[in-house]
Amino acid sequence: MASRRVFSEKILARLSKPLTEADVKPQFVFNEAKQKGFWRPPQVSLRVQNDLRKACMQEGIDPLSIGLPAVQPRKPLRTKPNKLEKHERTRGERQETIRKNLEKMPQTIQAWKEDKLKEAAKQKSSLPF
């Protein structure tokens, strides 16, 4: 079991004051004069928010009651497939072309034989001797 963490008086004093949305979430500020906007960071960093949440749990206070946002579920890690070598990446495409060519092979052989017979017929002389 984890040991009990000792929080500073400063952290424990913050538990008594409720936090506003601007304290814990970044705010978009739009400047009308320049027609530009920027994101203002939260007043309480995520690390301090986690410390406050842990202190709340340790003191038996609901973190949502003092204005902390609910804990977001962790997103799964994004994984990229390995690049592989070119012959491995194109293997499926090559196998498909080979399969299609094998299906056409009897017609290809037949056409080749006919061409060969035509060439042989051209080479024969028309003279009887």
Side-chain angles (χ1 to χ4, degrees):
M1 188 170 143
S3 61
R4 186 169 168 89
R5 185 169 168 190
V6 179
F7 290 100
S8 67
E9 291 298 322
K10 186 177 178 182
I11 291 283
L12 294 174
R14 288 185 98 165
L15 296 180
S16 60
K17 300 177 202 164
L19 300 170
T20 63
E21 186 176 352
D23 290 337
V24 293
K25 289 187 178 179
Q27 300 293 315
F28 185 74
V29 180
F30 188 73
N31 188 341
E32 291 290 336
K34 293 183 179 180
Q35 294 297 313
K36 288 184 178 180
F38 65 94
W39 284 95
R40 180 173 287 150
Q43 296 298 311
V44 180
S45 70
L46 292 175
R47 179 181 292 181
V48 174
Q49 286 180 35
N50 272 337
D51 284 345
L52 288 172
R53 182 175 286 111
K54 290 173 190 172
C56 282
M57 290 178 174
Q58 193 168 316
E59 297 295 319
I61 303 170
D62 182 27
L64 298 176
S65 68
I66 66 164
L68 286 172
V71 179
Q72 298 294 322
R74 290 189 180 262
K75 294 181 182 177
L77 287 176
R78 287 178 50 190
T79 57
K80 268 175 49 175
N82 291 338
K83 185 174 180 182
L84 303 176
E85 293 181 12
K86 187 167 183 180
H87 72 276
E88 294 172 317
R89 290 193 307 262
T90 59
R91 177 179 290 144
E93 185 180 326
R94 280 182 308 156
Q95 293 292 333
E96 186 63 27
T97 55
I98 290 170
R99 186 185 61 75
K100 287 179 182 175
N101 288 340
L102 281 175
E103 289 173 359
K104 292 190 263 180
M105 194 53 67
Q107 294 91 5
T108 307
I109 293 172
Q110 185 65 33
W112 175 78
K113 285 183 180 179
E114 289 172 3
D115 286 345
K116 190 173 176 185
L117 287 176
K118 287 179 186 176
E119 288 294 321
K122 282 184 185 176
Q123 295 296 328
K124 281 189 180 179
S125 66
S126 59
L127 297 175
F129 52 87

